[in-house]
Amino acid sequence: MEFDLFLRYGPALLTGFGVTILCWLVGSFGGLVLGFVLACLYRYGPAPLRWVIYAYVEVIRGTPFMIQLFILYYGGPHFGLLLSPIQAGILSFIVYGSPYFSEIFRSGFNAVPHGQVEAARCVGLSEGRILRRIILPQMLVPITAPLTNFFIILTKETAILSVVTVPELLYETQTMAAETFTFVEPFLVLSLFYWLMVIGTSWVGAKAEARVTRHLRKA
Amino acid sequence: MNFSFDVIWHNLPYMLAAARWTLLISLGGMAISLVWGVFVCAARISSGAVLSRLAALYISFFRGVPLLVQLLLFYYMLPYVGLDLPAIAAAILAVGLCSAAYSAEILRGALQTIPRGQTEAADALGIPTFSLWRRILIPQAIRIGLPSLVNELILLVKVSSLASVVGIGELTRISQNITGETYRPLEIYVAAAVIYFLINLVISLLGRLAEKRLQVA
Amino acid sequence: MDETPKDQPIIRISGLCKYFDDFEALRDITLDVNRSEVLCLIGPSGSGKSTLLRCLNFLEAYDGGEVYLEGDLIGWRSAREAPRRPLSSEKLRRQRQHIGMVFQQFNLWPHMTALENVAEALMHVKGLSKSEATTKARAALAKVNLSDKEKNYPANLSGGQQQRVAIARAIAMEPSVMLFDEPTSALDPELVGEVLSVMKEMANEGMTMVVVTHEMGFAAHVADRVAFLEEGRLVACSPPSEIFGREPDDPRVRAFLKTYRERNVV
Ligand SMILES: Nc1ncnc2c1ncn2[C@@H]1O[C@H](COP(=O)(O)OP(=O)(O)OP(=O)(O)O)[C@@H](O)[C@H]1O
Ligand SMILES: [Mg+2]
């Protein structure tokens, strides 16, 4: 292994890692928020809106991320949406993740016993407050693990952004590989970076799970 | 903005032809995934500590590294180590080996729901381990895990689009090519999305049908 | 809400009907509950006891008839409209503040401590400050003899203690009526007593209570009147001495109570 390779390409790889993290974080949290909004609209909205959301969820889940990315990035200009690669990447990431998140939230809603909501109505709490104080904290218990899991899945989907020349980790790795005719070193580093992301996410997920299940521990 | 259905209509035959490659990659990948997944699963739950550790390592590697990276590694590395596979074979293999890690876990989960008594009964009858797996455990595990396996197949249809990156003329790649000629990315990619969606719709309907069939049996 | 004269019934139910699709769960129920009265609802499983109770605070929207609490029509804007329109959620919430409810399954909020369970609505419905709410919540917990458990989460309380917290949560709102739906049915036998004694105490202090129960002993000794439901109809409503007397007038009541008699509960 040649270490001066890393000296030369280290900064580029690190920047790539930074871009990966940026796209992943903004895209995932955007998807999370959009997914939550969709799940709420599905739960509280009128029937026609529910059909629209249902169709959205099925269509996005039934098509490859790469095609969604292409529609936004290459097709976008045709309906007046001119995006830089990173913008297109993040936006398509938000769109791509949202139906999965919304399904997770939907299952969370269903996991909260209805009796608790009724009890809250009986003492006169408003629906907004019930959502915030009773339903949300409770649904976090069953959904924290699947949320963590999906964040981990999304770490890997970021690699696809390299296809539209987002200068993320895989893109920089490929550049390095092509310029130096090496494979082992760059891809080893790349694996290490993804591994770090996965480990980090699992760690945060475990912490979050401990936090949201605090009240269930027997004293 | 004008959405031209003509462009789609003219290029539809090429896209449908390319969709056959998409199907080949995903179905071929699924076949490898199932067969190899059974072995990985067996190794994972075997009593041999080394074997089990190795299987766990396999699973965490293939689930931990982006499939696109695996695909590129396969494509570039195989010739490097002297294995000259056609690109399509490399793609199917990469997809299948990766998916096997997931299938193995699905099967493992399914096996856990099969009552231990069945294994003990087979042991008591003197049925050899191999037959036990082939005739009793695997058929049940596949039946129990069917919904997840159908999901996995749908996933494979979607990830087959990654093969476009190494130049295989499946649906995504052909769509890119057509876009290059027609300069109509919106129409072509939307059409591609519709084709992917329909394929997955059919798969999930077939899956549900199969589930019903197996339930009655 | 206007104060009705003391001798007027606090709850008036007249001609109450409730359907679940085509199924008639309640048919033409007419019944008054007087101030400070304890009314027990008994009857076979599926007879509509829970449904009747849940119509009183509009957890179930009744289809016909009227329910008045201190002269206020519950749930609907007007009884004469067709189709009826429900009250705004704001108004409905205001009505429900006067009606406390205790469930068979407690329905405590598991992510809040006993104290937080009681204080939540005091702060966010009554608008009390945190310290006022805490003081009131503590007083309510003291009433149900749980002062020492205020920091416990429901997971760390016994069933009987959870049910008492649920009672505290309801009474802290100072309702004019309390509804109980089989409050002791989910409890181990040795925990039933502590909940019933809290309820008895409330009755002695003059709380108006409507109690669905299978505890015939409680009905016989604490209730002012006992109402017997069967297949959605009110079959009898009389003082316990008549219902539980040697020979109740109604053959259906007699048949129902026979099983209890055989077990020597009454
Ligand atoms: N949400 C609902 N949808 C349809 N039917 C219902 C619903 N709730 C109750 N019912 C029906 O209404 C009837 C009365 O139910 P209810 O729960 O009031 O009975 P109950 O007297 O409380 O019985 P139990 O003693 O078992 O609690 C039953 O036949 C029940 O099946
Ligand atoms: Mg009931």
Side-chain angles (χ1 to χ4, degrees), chain A residues 58-59 61-64 66-67 70-71 74-75 78-79 100 156 159-160 162-163 170 174 181 183-184 187 190-191 194 198, chain B residues 1 63-66 68-69 72-73 76-77 80 102 158 161-162 164-165 172 176 183 185-186 189-190 192-193 196-197 200:
Chain A
E58 290 303 317
V59 167
R61 290 203 303 176
T63 51
M66 210 190 273
I67 293 288
F70 287 173
I71 290 179
Y74 297 115
H78 287 247
F79 47 91
Y100 296 91
K156 291 171 282 163
I160 294 172
S162 64
V163 178
L170 177 58
Q174 281 181 291
F181 301 103
F183 291 111
V184 181
F187 279 100
L190 168 129
S191 305
Y194 281 114
V198 171
Chain B
M1 169 197 151
R63 295 205 305 181
V65 176
L68 183 54
V69 173
L72 291 171
L73 278 179
Y76 291 117
M77 289 277 268
Y80 205 64
Y102 291 91
K158 292 190 280 173
S161 62
L162 298 184
S164 64
V165 176
T172 299
Q176 284 174 297
Y183 301 104
L186 190 60
Y189 289 133
V190 166
Y196 277 113
F197 180 71
N200 284 334

Side-chain angles (χ1 to χ4, degrees), chain C residues 19 34 46 51 53 66 90 92 97 107 126 155 179 261:
Chain C
Y19 293 86
N34 297 315
T51 308
L53 205 65
E66 290 131 53
E90 185 62 32
L92 185 58
Q97 283 178 47
N107 291 336
K126 291 232 157 170
L179 310 177
R261 283 243 171 67

Side-chain angles (χ1 to χ4, degrees), chain B:
Chain B
M1 169 197 151
N2 54 334
F3 194 93
S4 156
F5 287 96
D6 268 4
V7 177
I8 295 176
W9 184 244
H10 283 305
N11 291 292
L12 200 56
Y14 308 111
M15 297 180 74
L16 288 179
R20 292 202 307 239
W21 290 97
T22 294
L23 276 179
L24 179 70
I25 296 170
S26 34
L27 289 176
M30 194 67 204
I32 293 176
S33 164
L34 264 185
V35 174
W36 186 227
V38 167
F39 285 101
V40 176
C41 169
R44 180 78 183 79
I45 62 179
S46 76
S47 45
V50 179
L51 204 57
S52 173
R53 212 47 84 61
L54 274 178
L57 195 69
Y58 179 95
I59 291 170
S60 66
F61 173 77
F62 279 96
R63 295 205 305 181
V65 176
L67 181 57
L68 183 54
V69 173
Q70 293 174 31
L71 208 63
L72 291 171
L73 278 179
F74 250 77
Y75 189 69
Y76 291 117
M77 289 277 268
L78 284 184
Y80 205 64
V81 297
L83 248 177
D84 212 1
L85 285 180
I88 178 78
I92 293 176
L93 206 58
V95 166
L97 290 183
C98 173
S99 165
Y102 291 91
S103 293
E105 287 295 278
I106 293 171
L107 293 175
R108 189 164 71 98
L111 281 176
Q112 275 166 355
T113 65
I114 299 177
R116 277 203 68 75
Q118 291 191 19
T119 311
E120 284 163 7
D123 282 345
L125 289 170
I127 295 175
T129 310
F130 182 73
S131 308
L132 169 73
W133 272 80
R134 198 170 68 88
R135 303 196 45 90
I136 299 176
L137 295 183
I138 295 175
Q140 288 192 73
I142 289 184
R143 193 172 70 197
I144 296 167
L146 191 69
S148 310
L149 291 171
V150 170
N151 255 345
E152 183 64 18
L153 178 58
I154 289 175
L155 219 70
L156 288 194
V157 170
K158 292 190 280 173
V159 300
S160 70
S161 62
L162 298 184
S164 64
V165 176
V166 294
I168 293 165
E170 46 63 73
L171 182 51
T172 299
R173 182 61 177 218
I174 294 302
S175 305
Q176 284 174 297
N177 293 351
I178 296 172
T179 302
E181 290 163 21
T182 59
Y183 301 104
R184 306 298 300 212
L186 190 60
E187 286 86 345
I188 297 302
Y189 289 133
V190 166
V194 171
I195 295 175
Y196 277 113
F197 180 71
L198 291 179
I199 291 175
N200 284 334
L201 198 64
V202 171
I203 291 176
S204 75
L205 289 180
L206 288 178
R208 232 168 276 166
L209 214 69
E211 246 176 87
K212 273 221 186 90
R213 274 281 172 78
L214 289 173
Q215 253 172 12
V216 181

Side-chain angles (χ1 to χ4, degrees), chain A residues 15-90:
Chain A
T15 328
F17 188 45
V19 172
T20 290
I21 296 224
L22 173 81
C23 293
W24 171 64
L25 277 183
V26 179
S28 314
F29 277 103
L32 181 96
V33 171
L34 180 56
F36 181 68
V37 171
L38 289 174
C40 286
L41 291 176
Y42 191 89
R43 183 181 164 88
Y44 297 105
L49 191 61
R50 265 192 257 170
W51 301 328
V52 172
I53 293 171
Y54 180 78
Y56 172 85
V57 167
E58 290 303 317
V59 167
I60 303 293
R61 290 203 303 176
T63 51
F65 176 49
M66 210 190 273
I67 293 288
Q68 295 164 13
L69 180 61
F70 287 173
I71 290 179
L72 262 175
Y73 183 60
Y74 297 115
H78 287 247
F79 47 91
L81 195 66
L82 209 64
L83 297 168
S84 74
I86 289 193
Q87 288 170 333
I90 288 176

Side-chain angles (χ1 to χ4, degrees), chain A residues 115-116 118-126 129 133-134 137-138 214-219, chain C residues 54 57 93 96 99 101 103 107-112 120-121 124-125 153 155-156 169 173:
Chain A
Q116 290 183 21
E118 286 191 338
R121 288 191 182 135
C122 282
V123 290
L125 289 174
S126 69
R129 227 180 138 90
R133 292 279 297 166
I134 311 293
Q138 288 248 51
R214 208 175 27 162
H215 59 277
L216 295 176
R217 272 192 293 279
K218 294 277 174 198
Chain C
R54 291 161 59 86
N57 63 357
R93 290 203 288 125
R96 281 183 176 153
I99 312 169
M101 184 155 186
F103 301 82
N107 291 336
L108 289 185
W109 303 311
H111 57 297
M112 298 183 191
E120 175 70 19
H124 300 290
V125 179
Y153 286 105
N156 289 319
R169 176 172 69 182
M173 297 295 288

Side-chain angles (χ1 to χ4, degrees), chain C residues 186-248:
Chain C
L187 297 178
D188 292 336
E190 73 269 22
L191 301 178
V192 169
E194 62 189 59
V195 172
L196 289 183
S197 73
V198 165
M199 289 169 63
K200 229 179 267 176
E201 204 168 307
M202 291 169 68
N204 289 338
E205 288 174 12
M207 173 62 80
T208 310
M209 296 161 61
V210 182
V211 185
V212 174
T213 189
H214 289 296
E215 293 291 333
M216 293 306 152
F218 180 83
H221 296 119
V222 183
D224 297 301
R225 277 186 305 157
V226 177
F228 180 83
L229 256 69
E230 193 180 67
E231 291 180 353
R233 264 168 296 197
L234 184 64
V235 173
C237 182
S238 331
S241 54
E242 283 172 40
I243 294 272
F244 297 115
R246 276 300 112 196
E247 278 303 310

